[in-house]
Amino acid sequence: MNNEVEDLKKVHEPFQLYKARWVVLFLSAAASAISNMQWMQYGIIADVLVFYYGLSYSSVNWSSMIFLLVYFILVFPMSYILDKYGLRTSMLIGVVLTAVGAWIKVGSIAPDRYWVLLLGQFIVAVGVVPLMGLIPKVAATWFGPKEVSTACGIGLAGLQLGFAVGFAVPPEMITSENDMASIKNDFTTISIGVGIISTILMMAVLLWFPDRPKTPPSQAALQSQDQEIDLWHPVKKLMTNRTFVLVLFAFAISLGIFCTISTVLNQLVLTYYPDGLKDAGRIGLLMIIAGFIGSLAGGLLLDRFKAYKGTLVTLLAAFCATLICLTCIINIHIELVYVSVSLAGFLMGSIWSVSYEIVVEATYPEPEGISVGLLNGLGQAFGIGFTELYSALFFKNDALGSNIALALLAFLSIILAACVRMEFRREAANFKKNNDNLGFDETVCSKL
């Protein structure tokens, strides 16, 4: 009887938006930023690592690709933890492992300790997995129906910011590319700085990151709040959802291409511009800043127009055209590389934001963590395969063949997205609630 009374109270309780949602979103974005920064920080100075540790480029590529492999392996259990135990538990796992891995890498500053660097990267990579699926869950748990896409875009912009810092900072901090003592000092500075920042963020999460609001912000959030969580049943349902499967493969191809470009950017730029170490970092920075803007733009467009399928197909077509353009101009002038790679970053950021929202919308009420986890997991797996394919074509032939291969893969993603039939399940749940005269009042906010 008491449970029925509580359920009745919950149904008639007005939905609320808490000001604390912005703190939760900021910390989520910051956690994604600091972890994903470490993903990129070594690949962009691959030539320096090759010189300092006496390695091949294939070995150095694994400082980035280990993130793809770990994500693919752990995406299911970490998605289950997110949906079963909530935002705070997943967030703490992510930030603690990120900090621990960062401090382990402080011990890798010696030419015979590349294995320590990889160990630190592995631990950070494990921490990245729960953080990658956190943003859509935060948006769905804390934000109202008319701002959830924007919140998702803002959160993903934080992820993009991490990539940007990872691309930009390491090349700028390398004072010499062929002096062992100088490289050792630079690596030490970078590693200690990352460790300190990761620790500060971990403490902030411990103090100011609650699991969920006292009162949900929408009918969709209310229904998701108390559903039973099972790992395999939602996966089976998702894989029979035609819209999900098509978006899954379309997005995974795009993400795989993005991961490949991010991993080999240093090698690609230096092949055509031998003095372009800092240019490679700046190109990566601009690519991610553009992706940051693209994530925001994608969320705002969906909240304003709700044109899910048309937006995704247009973005994928533009992404494919940009890859073709990059193939044609890469050896003409470095400024053209800046422009084309930045445009690719903008489009990928938008694709990321739009794909997340399509999946959450079309698979409701399935747990967001599992659906988004599958999206990212397959994308990371494709990233490993595409990087190996690209490297094989790149080193045996030239960049032309490898770039054409990526463009063909991007064209395949357009075909898949064009076959999508959009289903608005989450929106229907909120619409039904309004028809029951228990609507959502966006003006109700709690002062925290």
PDB file of all heavy atoms in Angstrom, residues 172-202:
ATOM      1  N   GLU A 172      53.435  21.680 -28.924  1.00  0.00           N
ATOM      2  CA  GLU A 172      53.915  22.999 -28.524  1.00  0.00           C
ATOM      3  C   GLU A 172      54.911  22.912 -27.368  1.00  0.00           C
ATOM      4  O   GLU A 172      55.773  23.789 -27.214  1.00  0.00           O
ATOM      5  CB  GLU A 172      52.737  23.893 -28.128  1.00  0.00           C
ATOM      6  CG  GLU A 172      51.752  24.177 -29.251  1.00  0.00           C
ATOM      7  CD  GLU A 172      52.385  24.999 -30.380  1.00  0.00           C
ATOM      8  OE1 GLU A 172      53.362  25.732 -30.118  1.00  0.00           O
ATOM      9  OE2 GLU A 172      51.900  24.890 -31.524  1.00  0.00           O
ATOM     10  N   MET A 173      54.814  21.867 -26.559  1.00  0.00           N
ATOM     11  CA  MET A 173      55.691  21.733 -25.398  1.00  0.00           C
ATOM     12  C   MET A 173      56.981  20.982 -25.706  1.00  0.00           C
ATOM     13  O   MET A 173      57.892  20.932 -24.871  1.00  0.00           O
ATOM     14  CB  MET A 173      54.945  21.037 -24.255  1.00  0.00           C
ATOM     15  CG  MET A 173      53.770  21.850 -23.720  1.00  0.00           C
ATOM     16  SD  MET A 173      53.083  21.178 -22.186  1.00  0.00           S
ATOM     17  CE  MET A 173      54.416  21.526 -21.034  1.00  0.00           C
ATOM     18  N   ILE A 174      57.077  20.397 -26.885  1.00  0.00           N
ATOM     19  CA  ILE A 174      58.316  19.718 -27.286  1.00  0.00           C
ATOM     20  C   ILE A 174      59.281  20.775 -27.805  1.00  0.00           C
ATOM     21  O   ILE A 174      59.080  21.342 -28.879  1.00  0.00           O
ATOM     22  CB  ILE A 174      58.046  18.649 -28.359  1.00  0.00           C
ATOM     23  CG1 ILE A 174      57.111  17.573 -27.818  1.00  0.00           C
ATOM     24  CG2 ILE A 174      59.352  18.026 -28.835  1.00  0.00           C
ATOM     25  CD1 ILE A 174      57.651  16.810 -26.646  1.00  0.00           C
ATOM     26  N   THR A 175      60.329  21.046 -27.043  1.00  0.00           N
ATOM     27  CA  THR A 175      61.281  22.106 -27.413  1.00  0.00           C
ATOM     28  C   THR A 175      62.324  21.622 -28.403  1.00  0.00           C
ATOM     29  O   THR A 175      62.945  22.424 -29.101  1.00  0.00           O
ATOM     30  CB  THR A 175      61.982  22.650 -26.157  1.00  0.00           C
ATOM     31  OG1 THR A 175      62.574  21.551 -25.431  1.00  0.00           O
ATOM     32  CG2 THR A 175      60.968  23.339 -25.248  1.00  0.00           C
ATOM     33  N   SER A 176      62.563  20.315 -28.449  1.00  0.00           N
ATOM     34  CA  SER A 176      63.514  19.752 -29.403  1.00  0.00           C
ATOM     35  C   SER A 176      63.068  18.348 -29.774  1.00  0.00           C
ATOM     36  O   SER A 176      62.667  17.562 -28.913  1.00  0.00           O
ATOM     37  CB  SER A 176      64.930  19.701 -28.813  1.00  0.00           C
ATOM     38  OG  SER A 176      65.818  19.047 -29.705  1.00  0.00           O
ATOM     39  N   GLU A 177      63.113  18.031 -31.068  1.00  0.00           N
ATOM     40  CA  GLU A 177      62.662  16.728 -31.540  1.00  0.00           C
ATOM     41  C   GLU A 177      63.784  15.692 -31.597  1.00  0.00           C
ATOM     42  O   GLU A 177      63.520  14.518 -31.854  1.00  0.00           O
ATOM     43  CB  GLU A 177      62.031  16.874 -32.936  1.00  0.00           C
ATOM     44  CG  GLU A 177      60.830  17.799 -32.971  1.00  0.00           C
ATOM     45  CD  GLU A 177      60.360  18.062 -34.396  1.00  0.00           C
ATOM     46  OE1 GLU A 177      60.343  17.095 -35.186  1.00  0.00           O
ATOM     47  OE2 GLU A 177      60.037  19.221 -34.708  1.00  0.00           O
ATOM     48  N   ASN A 178      65.026  16.097 -31.368  1.00  0.00           N
ATOM     49  CA  ASN A 178      66.140  15.145 -31.498  1.00  0.00           C
ATOM     50  C   ASN A 178      67.175  15.286 -30.377  1.00  0.00           C
ATOM     51  O   ASN A 178      68.338  14.929 -30.560  1.00  0.00           O
ATOM     52  CB  ASN A 178      66.824  15.309 -32.860  1.00  0.00           C
ATOM     53  CG  ASN A 178      67.177  16.755 -33.162  1.00  0.00           C
ATOM     54  OD1 ASN A 178      67.308  17.572 -32.258  1.00  0.00           O
ATOM     55  ND2 ASN A 178      67.315  17.050 -34.443  1.00  0.00           N
ATOM     56  N   ASP A 179      66.757  15.806 -29.223  1.00  0.00           N
ATOM     57  CA  ASP A 179      67.631  15.910 -28.064  1.00  0.00           C
ATOM     58  C   ASP A 179      67.000  15.125 -26.912  1.00  0.00           C
ATOM     59  O   ASP A 179      65.941  15.495 -26.394  1.00  0.00           O
ATOM     60  CB  ASP A 179      67.837  17.372 -27.665  1.00  0.00           C
ATOM     61  CG  ASP A 179      68.754  17.497 -26.455  1.00  0.00           C
ATOM     62  OD1 ASP A 179      69.978  17.394 -26.635  1.00  0.00           O
ATOM     63  OD2 ASP A 179      68.227  17.680 -25.336  1.00  0.00           O
ATOM     64  N   MET A 180      67.648  14.041 -26.495  1.00  0.00           N
ATOM     65  CA  MET A 180      67.067  13.132 -25.514  1.00  0.00           C
ATOM     66  C   MET A 180      66.784  13.828 -24.171  1.00  0.00           C
ATOM     67  O   MET A 180      65.720  13.633 -23.577  1.00  0.00           O
ATOM     68  CB  MET A 180      68.010  11.940 -25.295  1.00  0.00           C
ATOM     69  CG  MET A 180      68.198  11.064 -26.523  1.00  0.00           C
ATOM     70  SD  MET A 180      66.715  10.126 -26.958  1.00  0.00           S
ATOM     71  CE  MET A 180      66.762   8.835 -25.706  1.00  0.00           C
ATOM     72  N   ALA A 181      67.720  14.635 -23.687  1.00  0.00           N
ATOM     73  CA  ALA A 181      67.535  15.299 -22.398  1.00  0.00           C
ATOM     74  C   ALA A 181      66.365  16.275 -22.436  1.00  0.00           C
ATOM     75  O   ALA A 181      65.561  16.358 -21.498  1.00  0.00           O
ATOM     76  CB  ALA A 181      68.819  16.023 -21.998  1.00  0.00           C
ATOM     77  N   SER A 182      66.267  17.007 -23.526  1.00  0.00           N
ATOM     78  CA  SER A 182      65.184  17.969 -23.670  1.00  0.00           C
ATOM     79  C   SER A 182      63.827  17.264 -23.737  1.00  0.00           C
ATOM     80  O   SER A 182      62.853  17.691 -23.098  1.00  0.00           O
ATOM     81  CB  SER A 182      65.397  18.807 -24.934  1.00  0.00           C
ATOM     82  OG  SER A 182      64.326  19.705 -25.130  1.00  0.00           O
ATOM     83  N   ILE A 183      63.770  16.174 -24.495  1.00  0.00           N
ATOM     84  CA  ILE A 183      62.510  15.415 -24.604  1.00  0.00           C
ATOM     85  C   ILE A 183      62.110  14.854 -23.242  1.00  0.00           C
ATOM     86  O   ILE A 183      60.928  14.888 -22.867  1.00  0.00           O
ATOM     87  CB  ILE A 183      62.667  14.286 -25.638  1.00  0.00           C
ATOM     88  CG1 ILE A 183      62.845  14.875 -27.042  1.00  0.00           C
ATOM     89  CG2 ILE A 183      61.458  13.358 -25.606  1.00  0.00           C
ATOM     90  CD1 ILE A 183      63.171  13.847 -28.105  1.00  0.00           C
ATOM     91  N   LYS A 184      63.091  14.359 -22.475  1.00  0.00           N
ATOM     92  CA  LYS A 184      62.796  13.816 -21.146  1.00  0.00           C
ATOM     93  C   LYS A 184      62.181  14.878 -20.250  1.00  0.00           C
ATOM     94  O   LYS A 184      61.179  14.623 -19.555  1.00  0.00           O
ATOM     95  CB  LYS A 184      64.080  13.270 -20.519  1.00  0.00           C
ATOM     96  CG  LYS A 184      63.869  12.672 -19.138  1.00  0.00           C
ATOM     97  CD  LYS A 184      65.166  12.101 -18.577  1.00  0.00           C
ATOM     98  CE  LYS A 184      64.930  11.489 -17.190  1.00  0.00           C
ATOM     99  NZ  LYS A 184      66.178  10.902 -16.638  1.00  0.00           N
ATOM    100  N   ASN A 185      62.732  16.073 -20.247  1.00  0.00           N
ATOM    101  CA  ASN A 185      62.190  17.163 -19.435  1.00  0.00           C
ATOM    102  C   ASN A 185      60.773  17.538 -19.869  1.00  0.00           C
ATOM    103  O   ASN A 185      59.890  17.780 -19.036  1.00  0.00           O
ATOM    104  CB  ASN A 185      63.101  18.389 -19.509  1.00  0.00           C
ATOM    105  CG  ASN A 185      64.424  18.175 -18.796  1.00  0.00           C
ATOM    106  OD1 ASN A 185      64.520  17.370 -17.866  1.00  0.00           O
ATOM    107  ND2 ASN A 185      65.447  18.889 -19.221  1.00  0.00           N
ATOM    108  N   ASP A 186      60.568  17.585 -21.181  1.00  0.00           N
ATOM    109  CA  ASP A 186      59.250  17.943 -21.697  1.00  0.00           C
ATOM    110  C   ASP A 186      58.215  16.883 -21.336  1.00  0.00           C
ATOM    111  O   ASP A 186      57.085  17.207 -20.936  1.00  0.00           O
ATOM    112  CB  ASP A 186      59.306  18.120 -23.217  1.00  0.00           C
ATOM    113  CG  ASP A 186      60.177  19.289 -23.634  1.00  0.00           C
ATOM    114  OD1 ASP A 186      60.388  20.195 -22.806  1.00  0.00           O
ATOM    115  OD2 ASP A 186      60.670  19.286 -24.786  1.00  0.00           O
ATOM    116  N   PHE A 187      58.563  15.613 -21.481  1.00  0.00           N
ATOM    117  CA  PHE A 187      57.647  14.535 -21.110  1.00  0.00           C
ATOM    118  C   PHE A 187      57.296  14.595 -19.623  1.00  0.00           C
ATOM    119  O   PHE A 187      56.155  14.355 -19.225  1.00  0.00           O
ATOM    120  CB  PHE A 187      58.270  13.174 -21.435  1.00  0.00           C
ATOM    121  CG  PHE A 187      58.153  12.773 -22.881  1.00  0.00           C
ATOM    122  CD1 PHE A 187      58.712  11.584 -23.327  1.00  0.00           C
ATOM    123  CD2 PHE A 187      57.476  13.553 -23.794  1.00  0.00           C
ATOM    124  CE1 PHE A 187      58.606  11.195 -24.653  1.00  0.00           C
ATOM    125  CE2 PHE A 187      57.360  13.181 -25.126  1.00  0.00           C
ATOM    126  CZ  PHE A 187      57.933  11.996 -25.557  1.00  0.00           C
ATOM    127  N   THR A 188      58.281  14.900 -18.782  1.00  0.00           N
ATOM    128  CA  THR A 188      58.039  14.991 -17.343  1.00  0.00           C
ATOM    129  C   THR A 188      57.040  16.104 -17.023  1.00  0.00           C
ATOM    130  O   THR A 188      56.107  15.921 -16.232  1.00  0.00           O
ATOM    131  CB  THR A 188      59.358  15.243 -16.590  1.00  0.00           C
ATOM    132  OG1 THR A 188      60.275  14.172 -16.866  1.00  0.00           O
ATOM    133  CG2 THR A 188      59.127  15.342 -15.097  1.00  0.00           C
ATOM    134  N   THR A 189      57.242  17.261 -17.640  1.00  0.00           N
ATOM    135  CA  THR A 189      56.334  18.392 -17.415  1.00  0.00           C
ATOM    136  C   THR A 189      54.911  18.056 -17.829  1.00  0.00           C
ATOM    137  O   THR A 189      53.947  18.332 -17.100  1.00  0.00           O
ATOM    138  CB  THR A 189      56.831  19.624 -18.200  1.00  0.00           C
ATOM    139  OG1 THR A 189      58.156  19.961 -17.776  1.00  0.00           O
ATOM    140  CG2 THR A 189      55.904  20.812 -17.973  1.00  0.00           C
ATOM    141  N   ILE A 190      54.778  17.450 -19.003  1.00  0.00           N
ATOM    142  CA  ILE A 190      53.445  17.094 -19.499  1.00  0.00           C
ATOM    143  C   ILE A 190      52.767  16.093 -18.571  1.00  0.00           C
ATOM    144  O   ILE A 190      51.600  16.260 -18.189  1.00  0.00           O
ATOM    145  CB  ILE A 190      53.544  16.518 -20.927  1.00  0.00           C
ATOM    146  CG1 ILE A 190      54.016  17.602 -21.916  1.00  0.00           C
ATOM    147  CG2 ILE A 190      52.199  15.950 -21.373  1.00  0.00           C
ATOM    148  CD1 ILE A 190      54.342  17.061 -23.293  1.00  0.00           C
ATOM    149  N   SER A 191      53.494  15.053 -18.173  1.00  0.00           N
ATOM    150  CA  SER A 191      52.900  13.982 -17.364  1.00  0.00           C
ATOM    151  C   SER A 191      52.471  14.474 -15.990  1.00  0.00           C
ATOM    152  O   SER A 191      51.368  14.151 -15.515  1.00  0.00           O
ATOM    153  CB  SER A 191      53.900  12.826 -17.220  1.00  0.00           C
ATOM    154  OG  SER A 191      54.215  12.276 -18.470  1.00  0.00           O
ATOM    155  N   ILE A 192      53.307  15.255 -15.328  1.00  0.00           N
ATOM    156  CA  ILE A 192      52.955  15.766 -13.998  1.00  0.00           C
ATOM    157  C   ILE A 192      51.771  16.730 -14.086  1.00  0.00           C
ATOM    158  O   ILE A 192      50.860  16.702 -13.245  1.00  0.00           O
ATOM    159  CB  ILE A 192      54.169  16.441 -13.342  1.00  0.00           C
ATOM    160  CG1 ILE A 192      55.242  15.390 -13.015  1.00  0.00           C
ATOM    161  CG2 ILE A 192      53.753  17.193 -12.075  1.00  0.00           C
ATOM    162  CD1 ILE A 192      56.518  15.960 -12.429  1.00  0.00           C
ATOM    163  N   GLY A 193      51.753  17.568 -15.102  1.00  0.00           N
ATOM    164  CA  GLY A 193      50.637  18.497 -15.279  1.00  0.00           C
ATOM    165  C   GLY A 193      49.317  17.770 -15.454  1.00  0.00           C
ATOM    166  O   GLY A 193      48.296  18.135 -14.831  1.00  0.00           O
ATOM    167  N   VAL A 194      49.310  16.731 -16.278  1.00  0.00           N
ATOM    168  CA  VAL A 194      48.089  15.953 -16.496  1.00  0.00           C
ATOM    169  C   VAL A 194      47.658  15.256 -15.205  1.00  0.00           C
ATOM    170  O   VAL A 194      46.467  15.192 -14.873  1.00  0.00           O
ATOM    171  CB  VAL A 194      48.297  14.923 -17.621  1.00  0.00           C
ATOM    172  CG1 VAL A 194      47.096  13.988 -17.733  1.00  0.00           C
ATOM    173  CG2 VAL A 194      48.524  15.629 -18.954  1.00  0.00           C
ATOM    174  N   GLY A 195      48.617  14.730 -14.442  1.00  0.00           N
ATOM    175  CA  GLY A 195      48.294  14.071 -13.178  1.00  0.00           C
ATOM    176  C   GLY A 195      47.631  15.008 -12.189  1.00  0.00           C
ATOM    177  O   GLY A 195      46.649  14.648 -11.518  1.00  0.00           O
ATOM    178  N   ILE A 196      48.154  16.224 -12.082  1.00  0.00           N
ATOM    179  CA  ILE A 196      47.588  17.207 -11.145  1.00  0.00           C
ATOM    180  C   ILE A 196      46.158  17.583 -11.542  1.00  0.00           C
ATOM    181  O   ILE A 196      45.245  17.610 -10.704  1.00  0.00           O
ATOM    182  CB  ILE A 196      48.483  18.462 -11.081  1.00  0.00           C
ATOM    183  CG1 ILE A 196      49.824  18.120 -10.412  1.00  0.00           C
ATOM    184  CG2 ILE A 196      47.774  19.589 -10.334  1.00  0.00           C
ATOM    185  CD1 ILE A 196      50.843  19.239 -10.480  1.00  0.00           C
ATOM    186  N   ILE A 197      45.950  17.863 -12.817  1.00  0.00           N
ATOM    187  CA  ILE A 197      44.609  18.249 -13.280  1.00  0.00           C
ATOM    188  C   ILE A 197      43.611  17.115 -13.072  1.00  0.00           C
ATOM    189  O   ILE A 197      42.474  17.332 -12.637  1.00  0.00           O
ATOM    190  CB  ILE A 197      44.664  18.670 -14.764  1.00  0.00           C
ATOM    191  CG1 ILE A 197      45.508  19.935 -14.928  1.00  0.00           C
ATOM    192  CG2 ILE A 197      43.260  18.896 -15.306  1.00  0.00           C
ATOM    193  CD1 ILE A 197      45.789  20.301 -16.373  1.00  0.00           C
ATOM    194  N   SER A 198      44.030  15.879 -13.374  1.00  0.00           N
ATOM    195  CA  SER A 198      43.143  14.725 -13.202  1.00  0.00           C
ATOM    196  C   SER A 198      42.751  14.536 -11.741  1.00  0.00           C
ATOM    197  O   SER A 198      41.605  14.182 -11.428  1.00  0.00           O
ATOM    198  CB  SER A 198      43.830  13.457 -13.715  1.00  0.00           C
ATOM    199  OG  SER A 198      44.146  13.557 -15.093  1.00  0.00           O
ATOM    200  N   THR A 199      43.689  14.795 -10.835  1.00  0.00           N
ATOM    201  CA  THR A 199      43.410  14.644  -9.403  1.00  0.00           C
ATOM    202  C   THR A 199      42.437  15.712  -8.914  1.00  0.00           C
ATOM    203  O   THR A 199      41.522  15.427  -8.127  1.00  0.00           O
ATOM    204  CB  THR A 199      44.717  14.715  -8.598  1.00  0.00           C
ATOM    205  OG1 THR A 199      45.621  13.700  -9.070  1.00  0.00           O
ATOM    206  CG2 THR A 199      44.464  14.499  -7.117  1.00  0.00           C
ATOM    207  N   ILE A 200      42.602  16.941  -9.369  1.00  0.00           N
ATOM    208  CA  ILE A 200      41.686  18.024  -8.984  1.00  0.00           C
ATOM    209  C   ILE A 200      40.268  17.695  -9.451  1.00  0.00           C
ATOM    210  O   ILE A 200      39.285  17.872  -8.699  1.00  0.00           O
ATOM    211  CB  ILE A 200      42.160  19.364  -9.585  1.00  0.00           C
ATOM    212  CG1 ILE A 200      43.470  19.812  -8.912  1.00  0.00           C
ATOM    213  CG2 ILE A 200      41.079  20.438  -9.424  1.00  0.00           C
ATOM    214  CD1 ILE A 200      44.105  21.016  -9.567  1.00  0.00           C
ATOM    215  N   LEU A 201      40.129  17.204 -10.674  1.00  0.00           N
ATOM    216  CA  LEU A 201      38.810  16.843 -11.194  1.00  0.00           C
ATOM    217  C   LEU A 201      38.199  15.711 -10.374  1.00  0.00           C
ATOM    218  O   LEU A 201      36.999  15.729 -10.065  1.00  0.00           O
ATOM    219  CB  LEU A 201      38.922  16.432 -12.659  1.00  0.00           C
ATOM    220  CG  LEU A 201      37.620  15.952 -13.303  1.00  0.00           C
ATOM    221  CD1 LEU A 201      36.589  17.075 -13.325  1.00  0.00           C
ATOM    222  CD2 LEU A 201      37.874  15.447 -14.718  1.00  0.00           C
ATOM    223  N   MET A 202      38.991  14.724 -10.012  1.00  0.00           N
ATOM    224  CA  MET A 202      38.497  13.609  -9.206  1.00  0.00           C
ATOM    225  C   MET A 202      37.913  14.117  -7.885  1.00  0.00           C
ATOM    226  O   MET A 202      36.838  13.682  -7.452  1.00  0.00           O
ATOM    227  CB  MET A 202      39.622  12.618  -8.947  1.00  0.00           C
ATOM    228  CG  MET A 202      39.211  11.404  -8.114  1.00  0.00           C
ATOM    229  SD  MET A 202      40.592  10.286  -7.792  1.00  0.00           S
ATOM    230  CE  MET A 202      41.594  11.321  -6.689  1.00  0.00           C
TER     231      MET A 202
END
